[in-house]
Amino acid sequence: MSDNVKMINFMGGRRIAMFISIAMMVASVAVLAVKGLNFGLDFTGGTLIEVIYEESVPLEQVREELSAAGYESAIVVNFGSDTDVLVRMPQGMSPTLGEEVLAVLQAGTEAEVELRRIEFVGPQVGEELREQGGLAVLLALVVVLIYVAMRFQIKFSIGAVAALGHDVLITLGVFAVVGWDFDLTVLAAILAVIGYSLNDSIVVADRIRENLRKLRKHDAVEVVNISLTETLDRTLVTSGTTLLVLLALAFVGGEMIHSFALALLIGIGVGTYSSIYIVASLLVTMNISQDDLIVVEKEGAQIDDLP
């Protein structure tokens, strides 16, 4: 690190940061256990109806018309354009449901309304999607644990997986507290958060490993602080530009990807924090040192064969 760059003492506040992280994770587990996630139609089952209006129609008007007709729990969003409306209903499928909804919507406007499609998702399919989604997240964490252990060292692996679990758990906790719909797009965002957070953790871990080998006169806390200071600019630029895009998607991207953008906003924001105060703090707690990076020479191995 250049002598002109002042080292930031990140690890000075690691105990406070760890306390806050543990408190948020415990709170997330409690909320998920008591309240649970507000699963969307993809996971609970129900009916999806797509209609095309001849002219643009306010979504609030459509919601009021359906609510007045007895469909209070209907979810109404635009699908592609402001004349294409998607209605999600938790009610079971009936032979005349599509025609009934179409008649309600047609009665509320003089413009022509066309029924484009009607689909039914059974509760068994929704349960299978929940199970497969949970397995996908767990499998991703296991693969990350194995990859980082092989690429770096087991202590780095524990820190990276702990950070990923921290990010996923807090993101799920926020969705449970606020009551936002948790559907397949949010599940995709959770998996994207794992990939993004892993990338950030790998950058930090790689710099710490490199500096452990170079800065042999410094202790682990100093090496970690130097490494985090050196990667801070890259972290802020990468996370900042990503968050700007996600803010645009969340506010002007439409309701179809609103939950997806919100999940990524929360996950990436927390992931940037965890790459510093989860990965690095755990390495310091586990007393990472130069000795952990020593490669044991195999009998008969040539010097050139060693990494």
Side-chain angles (χ1 to χ4, degrees):
M1 186 173 71
S2 172
D3 294 336
N4 296 325
V5 179
K6 183 179 179 180
M7 182 185 71
I8 302 174
N9 184 19
F10 288 98
M11 293 297 97
R14 72 180 185 276
R15 291 182 176 83
I16 297 175
M18 290 295 286
F19 175 79
I20 294 173
S21 293
I22 292 172
M24 288 192 296
M25 288 191 290
V26 170
S28 296
V29 171
V31 172
L32 288 169
V34 174
K35 186 177 180 181
L37 292 168
N38 182 24
F39 287 107
L41 180 67
D42 297 328
F43 297 112
T44 60
T47 306
L48 184 147
I49 302 169
E50 182 183 356
V51 296
I52 303 292
Y53 279 80
E54 187 178 10
E55 300 174 355
S56 175
V57 59
L59 293 180
E60 191 58 39
Q61 175 186 327
V62 177
R63 294 188 184 102
E64 291 175 358
E65 293 169 358
L66 291 173
S67 179
Y71 303 110
E72 294 88 354
S73 55
I75 300 172
V76 181
V77 297
N78 283 123
F79 187 66
S81 66
D82 54 4
T83 60
D84 196 343
V85 176
L86 205 62
V87 181
R88 298 179 178 181
M89 309 182 71
Q91 289 91 342
M93 181 70 169
S94 71
T96 60
L97 182 59
E99 287 73 14
E100 292 171 3
V101 171
L102 180 62
V104 171
L105 299 180
Q106 184 65 76
T109 180
E110 297 180 357
E112 187 70 23
V113 184
E114 174 190 352
L115 178 63
R116 174 65 62 86
R117 65 185 169 115
I118 179 169
E119 297 178 0
F120 175 69
V121 178
Q124 183 176 358
V125 175
E127 185 177 351
E128 290 177 357
L129 286 174
R130 285 200 303 270
E131 293 176 356
Q132 292 172 0
L135 288 174
V137 174
L138 290 176
L139 181 60
L141 294 177
V142 171
V143 171
V144 168
L145 178 68
I146 296 172
Y147 166 74
V148 180
M150 295 175 61
R151 179 70 175 81
F152 293 91
Q153 198 261 357
I154 188 62
K155 291 183 179 180
F156 289 93
S157 183
I158 293 173
V161 172
L164 297 183
H166 167 274
D167 302 342
V168 170
L169 190 57
I170 291 179
T171 303
L172 293 177
V174 172
F175 266 75
V177 169
V178 181
W180 289 326
D181 280 347
F182 188 91
D183 54 21
L184 284 177
T185 62
V186 179
L187 177 60
I190 295 294
L191 294 174
V193 165
I194 290 177
Y196 186 94
S197 182
L198 174 63
N199 177 67
D200 222 20
S201 298
I202 290 295
V203 171
V204 170
D206 191 53
R207 184 56 60 89
I208 292 175
R209 181 180 64 171
E210 178 184 344
N211 284 335
L212 278 172
R213 289 171 172 167
K214 292 193 307 182
L215 309 175
R216 295 185 175 276
K217 295 183 179 180
H218 295 73
D219 60 24
V221 172
E222 292 175 335
V223 170
V224 168
N225 281 330
I226 292 171
S227 303
L228 292 174
T229 303
E230 291 176 343
T231 58
L232 181 62
D233 287 345
R234 178 262 175 203
T235 299
L236 292 179
V237 170
T238 304
S239 300
T241 52
T242 305
L243 291 174
L244 286 176
V245 173
L246 292 174
L247 283 170
L249 287 176
F251 287 103
V252 299
E255 294 191 48
M256 288 298 294
I257 60 172
H258 185 67
S259 296
F260 175 82
L262 286 176
L264 280 176
L265 272 171
I266 298 167
I268 289 177
V270 175
T272 302
Y273 157 86
S274 69
S275 64
I276 296 175
Y277 282 112
I278 300 296
V279 177
S281 295
L282 282 177
L283 288 175
V284 171
T285 301
M286 291 184 289
N287 297 316
I288 190 72
S289 67
Q290 290 87 354
D291 295 339
D292 294 311
L293 304 179
I294 295 176
V295 179
V296 179
E297 183 178 349
K298 297 180 181 178
E299 185 176 354
Q302 300 296 322
I303 296 300
D304 294 339
D305 294 335
L306 296 177

